[in-house]
């Protein structure tokens, strides 16, 4: 794979990282028992090594000034990235969550390809788990799925067949024709105009003081805690059919109601104003290639935590998301990624500390939905049972919520600052309880 410059948004994620705020995505996948003769660590290493993108590291370049590029790691050794950890088998799932929190605290080594995989074994029934960490500069959620899926039996077989069928492609000139030059210039003018509009929206939406709940406004400690829960997808769909909107609207309402329930149970007063959620939106077109790097925008949504009625919370979420969709993902304060795409590399290198601190003035919690393949997946013949995505925390953020539907359930991975939210398991339980309440309230 040839050297390629990091796109502006990828560069932004690379420079936003600090020791206390690692910018990697994660996923914790639980599998059933594998056949006895399967060497899972060797299989995982071979599958990962066969994914070209995982052999790339970031290096600085002279031009553009402040830029960086992806380049093949000549000293790549997959065993530096893939490791086995044996856990006590008494409560394997809880131990996996605890360890995931510890591992998510640790930044990836920047001199190597920015990813790690951990094979977690020790369950009494022979089941196991895999924790994956990918730097956000390497991929957004959809791209991370496309990269990480290469470890699964079904995807690895398809890729191997595709490699055997590959044919040489005639070289193309790097010189653009007149039509491409005109189109690029027109697109650049449109992008700059859109960035100015987004920038103005960001300024209008920014708050001098965070207004969310105390736990969401706590200072960052650099520690991480992970909790997981799974919700019945059929039940979510029944609520959707009864109330209208989308399944994602229902999930956002579950998050809002779960936060309210959790705050009440811990004896914390409700916030004076509803906390804002940043809801990422992919800019990739359906059916198009997943491409490389990040292609993101986002919506801002007030989570109706102060609304006591579950049905009214869902209605408020639905109205807010309908307004966002009517405006489109390329407008509004949530589209900060569009603004980042227009900044020169030097601005990302020196402006990252300021930008990371400003995130808290714009939103309180990240809530993202990461789609997975609908077909059943396996690793070494062991069926994938659960897959919990995990999102990074920006500076000043105490909670990130990531969701993925698979196998008839929506798997929710919660990542929190360990000191600000020590009772993250209680929030996970509150989300499950809130779906039950919403299900009854809508008569689904």
């Amino acid at each position: 794979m040839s050297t390629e410059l990091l796109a502006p948004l990828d560069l932004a994620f690379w420079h936003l990282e600090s020791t206390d705020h690692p910018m990697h995505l994660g996923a914790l996948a639980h599998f059933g028992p594998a056949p006895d003769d399967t060497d899972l660590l060797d299989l995982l290493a071979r599958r990962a090594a066969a994914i070209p993108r995982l052999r790339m590291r970031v290096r600085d370049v002279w031009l553009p000034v402040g830029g960086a590029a992806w380049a093949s790691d000549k000293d790549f050794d997959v065993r530096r990235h893939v490791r086995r950890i044996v856990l006590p088998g008494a409560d394997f799932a809880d131990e996996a969550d605890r360890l995931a929190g510890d591992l998510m605290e640790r930044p990836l080594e920047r001199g190597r390809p920015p990813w790690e995989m951990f094979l977690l074994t020790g369950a009494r029934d022979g089941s196991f788990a895999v924790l994956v960490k990918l730097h956000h500069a390497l991929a957004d959620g959809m791209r991370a799925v496309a990269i990480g899926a290469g470890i699964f039996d079904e995807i690895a077989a398809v890729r191997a067949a595709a490699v055997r069928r590959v044919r040489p492609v005639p070289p193309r000139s790097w010189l653009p024709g007149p039509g491409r030059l005109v189109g690029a210039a027109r697109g650049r003018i449109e992008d700059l105009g859109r960035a100015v509009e987004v920038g103005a929206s960001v300024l209008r939406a920014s708050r001098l003081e965070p207004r969310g709940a105390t736990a969401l406004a706590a200072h960052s400690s650099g520690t991480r805690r992970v909790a997981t829960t799974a919700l019945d997808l059929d039940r979510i769909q029944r609520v959707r059919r009864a109330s209208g909107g989308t399944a994602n609207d229902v999930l956002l309402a579950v998050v809002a109601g779960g936060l309210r329930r959790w705050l009440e149970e811990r004896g914390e007063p409700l916030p004076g104003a509803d906390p804002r959620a940043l809801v990422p939106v992919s800019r990739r077109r359906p059916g198009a290639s997943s491409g490389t790097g990040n292609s993101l925008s986002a919506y801002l949504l007030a989570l109706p935590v102060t609304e006591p009625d579950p049905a009214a919370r869902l209605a408020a979420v639905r109205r807010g998301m309908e307004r966002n969709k009517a405006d489109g993902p390329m407008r509004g304060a949530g589209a900060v990624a569009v603004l980042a795409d227009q900044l020169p590399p030097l601005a990302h290198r020196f402006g990252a500390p300021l930008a990371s601190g400003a995130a808290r003035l714009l939103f309180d919690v990240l809530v993202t939905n990461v789609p997975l393949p609908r077909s059943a997946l396996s690793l070494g013949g062991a069926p994938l049972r659960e897959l919990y995505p995990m999102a990074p925390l920006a500076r000043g953020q105490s909670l990130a919520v990531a969701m993925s539907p698979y196998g008839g359930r929506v798997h929710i991975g919660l990542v929190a600052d360990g000191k600000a939210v020590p009772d993250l398991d209680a929030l996970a339980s509150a989300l499950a309880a809130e779906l039950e309440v919403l299900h009854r309230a809508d008569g689904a």
Side-chain angles (χ1 to χ4, degrees):
M1 186 179 294
S2 60
T3 299
E4 82 182 70
L5 290 174
L6 268 72
L9 187 53
D10 302 344
L11 193 63
F13 285 127
W14 188 248
H15 289 308
L16 280 170
E17 183 168 71
S18 68
T19 302
D20 288 341
H21 299 90
M23 291 301 295
H24 48 254
L25 310 168
L28 180 62
H30 287 269
F31 297 85
D36 292 338
D37 59 348
T38 303
D39 186 337
L40 291 170
L41 187 65
D42 178 70
L43 177 63
L44 192 61
R46 284 190 289 106
R47 295 263 174 92
I51 301 172
R53 199 69 185 171
L54 296 185
R55 292 175 169 268
M56 307 293 283
R57 68 178 185 89
V58 176
R59 65 175 180 83
D60 291 335
V61 295
W62 288 103
L63 292 173
V65 177
W70 292 108
S72 296
D73 183 3
K74 297 179 181 179
D75 299 319
F76 177 76
D77 181 355
V78 71
R79 295 292 179 173
R80 295 175 178 173
H81 300 264
V82 179
R83 305 177 185 89
R84 182 199 300 269
I85 299 177
V86 180
L87 299 177
D91 200 334
F92 184 80
D94 286 348
E95 286 295 321
D97 283 356
R98 181 197 58 76
L99 179 63
D102 293 342
L103 295 174
M104 289 295 285
E105 287 183 13
R106 306 176 189 176
L108 295 162
E109 188 170 336
R110 292 173 77 87
R112 297 176 180 171
W115 65 274
E116 291 177 330
M117 293 185 188
F118 298 89
L119 174 65
L120 311 182
T121 61
R124 292 175 177 175
D125 64 354
S127 60
F128 63 95
V130 175
L131 175 68
V132 181
K133 293 168 56 178
L134 292 173
H135 200 284
H136 212 333
L138 184 65
D140 56 28
M142 289 185 67
R143 178 62 179 161
V145 170
I147 293 173
I151 70 170
F152 294 116
D153 299 338
E154 296 76 9
I155 310 300
V158 171
R159 284 186 171 177
V163 168
R164 288 193 294 269
R165 293 195 302 268
V166 71
R167 291 183 174 86
V169 178
R172 295 175 59 187
S173 172
W174 61 271
L175 293 172
R180 289 176 60 192
L181 283 173
V182 172
R186 183 183 299 114
R188 181 63 175 166
I189 292 171
E190 292 174 352
D191 288 344
L192 289 173
R194 187 179 297 116
V196 170
E197 180 182 349
V198 171
S201 297
V202 169
L203 289 175
R204 289 193 299 268
S206 296
R207 305 162 302 188
L208 295 179
E209 292 291 338
R211 300 180 300 173
T214 302
L216 301 180
H219 292 292
S220 300
S221 68
T223 60
R224 294 292 180 269
R225 187 177 294 272
V226 166
T228 58
T229 189
L231 306 181
D232 183 78
L233 182 56
D234 184 61
R235 183 157 291 189
I236 291 167
Q237 293 290 6
R238 288 201 295 269
V239 173
R240 177 195 63 79
R241 288 191 292 268
S243 62
T246 68
N248 198 52
D249 293 342
V250 177
L251 289 168
L252 288 167
V254 166
V255 172
L259 284 171
R260 178 187 175 91
R261 177 184 297 268
W262 171 64
L263 291 171
E264 290 177 334
E265 288 177 350
R266 67 188 340 227
E268 184 172 330
L270 295 176
D274 288 328
R276 287 178 180 169
L278 187 74
V279 184
V281 180
S282 175
R283 290 158 56 188
R284 303 183 194 277
R285 295 180 180 178
S289 170
S290 60
T292 60
N294 289 268
S295 184
L296 288 172
S297 186
Y299 297 136
L300 277 184
L301 176 71
L303 292 173
V305 170
T306 57
E307 169 57 58
D309 180 64
R313 282 197 293 269
L314 177 53
V317 166
R318 188 169 63 246
R319 289 193 301 271
M321 289 302 289
E322 286 173 351
R323 285 193 298 269
N324 280 327
K325 292 172 185 176
D327 291 338
M330 305 297 284
R331 289 185 171 85
V336 288
V338 176
L339 182 61
D341 263 340
Q342 304 307 314
L343 296 177
L346 202 59
H348 287 301
R349 184 177 290 269
F350 292 106
L354 179 62
S356 64
R360 186 69 185 90
L361 302 178
L362 194 61
F363 65 97
D364 303 288
V365 59
L366 175 74
V367 184
T368 183
N369 196 325
V370 183
L372 294 177
R374 295 184 179 181
S375 57
L377 299 171
S378 60
L379 175 61
L384 174 65
R385 291 176 173 173
E386 304 167 352
L387 193 149
Y388 298 98
M390 291 175 281
L393 296 180
R395 185 183 301 275
Q397 305 293 321
S398 299
L399 176 67
V401 183
M403 306 176 284
S404 285
Y406 176 78
R409 295 193 293 176
V410 175
H411 298 92
I412 301 180
L414 304 174
V415 177
D417 184 282
K419 291 187 177 178
V421 190
D423 56 341
L424 192 60
D425 288 339
L427 177 55
S429 298
L431 295 177
E434 182 60 23
L435 178 59
E436 294 299 318
V437 170
L438 191 57
H439 184 261
R440 292 196 301 269
D442 271 332

